[in-house]
Amino acid sequence: MRVPVIAGNWKMYKTAGEAAAFAKAFLPLVAGVREVEIVLAPPFPSIAAVADLVRRSGVFVASQNVHFADEGAYTGEVSPRMVKDAGASHCIIGHSERRQYFAETDDSANRKVRAALAAGLTPIFCLGETLAERKAGKTFDVVERQIRGGLKDIPGPDGPKVVVAYEPVWAIGTGVTATPEQAQEVHAFLRGLLKERFGSAAAAVRILYGGSVKPDNIATLMAKEDIDGALVGGASLAADSFARIVKFK
Ligand code: PEP
């Protein structure tokens, strides 16, 4: 039985004060939710404030990126140990915006996934094809390359500790959601690759869908066998809409 993960990626939105106001409004709305792993991913400066507010609520906090080193002369970067110390338990890695604007590659994402696991963080490893790749019939080749690269050298027992997020780039922030069938097709393909990689433990890996998830489309996505949650951008910025997504049942 896979516990669904609903994660909100705030991207570069909200000051620490705004993040705290969100947490205060959001917690009462999801107080009764037990069977969902709820994750909030604020920008780095708000992690500690949000983590303090959600402590003992069952809501988790993620960073939106990490560096792969523990510490060092890497100006502007933040290590997994620092993120964990600030109160995060999860970290998003390899988001398409990092790939597009900040030169993230399968290789750098893989180093980050391994560093996150070593620090005891749950990586939410993102992958997904562009519109041009989908139109060219390359979706499966692209996501296969990304998952093989991103999870390279992850030891078998660590497999189920990784959360995978399938986020077709054409669906992120566009208002165009993959149909539940399109998403399920890729998720099932990814599950097959995870089985090759991790054997029966692949059944425990949560595979999230991301791309214009909203309160009115989450339930049909979640009804699919291999869709184990969602990574939500825009609709996670308001407490009421994100709470409605969390309470999709
Ligand atoms: C995201 O940022 O990961 C995302 C899926 O964004 P949106 O929900 O806004 O498409």
Side-chain angles (χ1 to χ4, degrees):
M1 178 49 195
R2 296 185 289 267
V3 175
V5 178
I6 305 285
N9 171 20
W10 290 353
K11 311 193 185 198
M12 200 172 71
Y13 291 99
K14 296 189 191 297
T15 61
E18 290 162 351
F22 176 104
K24 285 179 193 151
F26 179 68
L27 288 179
L29 301 178
V30 296
V33 177
R34 291 282 166 269
E35 66 287 9
V36 177
E37 193 169 309
I38 306 169
V39 183
L40 300 173
F44 286 128
S46 307
I47 288 177
V50 174
D52 275 352
L53 284 164
V54 303
R55 190 170 298 137
R56 284 184 291 276
S57 70
V59 173
F60 297 91
V61 178
S63 64
Q64 299 173 17
N65 182 34
V66 279
H67 193 266
F68 39 74
D70 235 18
E71 60 185 9
Y74 300 107
T75 302
E77 293 292 324
V78 178
S79 77
R81 204 162 62 93
M82 293 167 185
V83 156
K84 196 164 178 219
D85 181 63
S89 51
H90 296 57
C91 59
I92 298 171
I93 292 173
H95 191 279
S96 67
E97 288 153 15
R98 304 278 334 154
R99 294 176 187 261
Q100 186 179 353
Y101 304 124
F102 303 104
E104 188 84 273
T105 62
D106 293 333
D107 187 53
S108 61
N110 174 249
R111 296 177 75 180
K112 293 175 180 189
V113 169
R114 286 188 281 135
L117 287 168
L121 289 167
T122 298
I124 302 176
F125 170 63
C126 304
L127 50 83
E129 81 288 1
T130 64
L131 186 58
E133 288 164 341
R134 175 161 281 261
K135 282 188 171 158
K138 291 188 186 149
T139 297
F140 295 100
D141 293 343
V142 170
V143 298
E144 179 167 357
R145 188 199 71 224
Q146 290 172 326
I147 200 160
R148 285 193 194 283
L151 301 188
K152 192 160 68 77
D153 298 331
I154 306 287
D158 280 349
K161 296 182 190 163
V162 178
V163 174
V164 174
Y166 169 57
E167 298 208 301
V169 178
W170 47 271
I172 297 179
T174 59
V176 180
T177 316
T179 65
E181 292 70 30
Q182 283 173 319
Q184 168 60 27
E185 189 184 27
V186 176
H187 283 225
F189 175 71
L190 292 172
R191 180 94 54 211
L193 295 173
L194 290 168
K195 271 199 192 113
E196 280 177 25
R197 184 72 179 66
F198 298 119
S200 58
V205 178
R206 276 86 57 85
I207 307 179
L208 317 185
Y209 166 77
S212 299
V213 171
K214 308 282 177 221
D216 62 2
N217 60 26
I218 180 72
T220 52
L221 288 159
M222 290 302 291
K224 292 294 182 189
E225 191 183 336
D226 289 294
I227 301 183
D228 308 314
L231 182 54
V232 184
S236 72
L237 288 169
D240 60 336
S241 77
F242 192 50
R244 281 163 64 210
I245 293 173
V246 166
K247 297 194 273 192
F248 63 89
K249 277 184 198 146

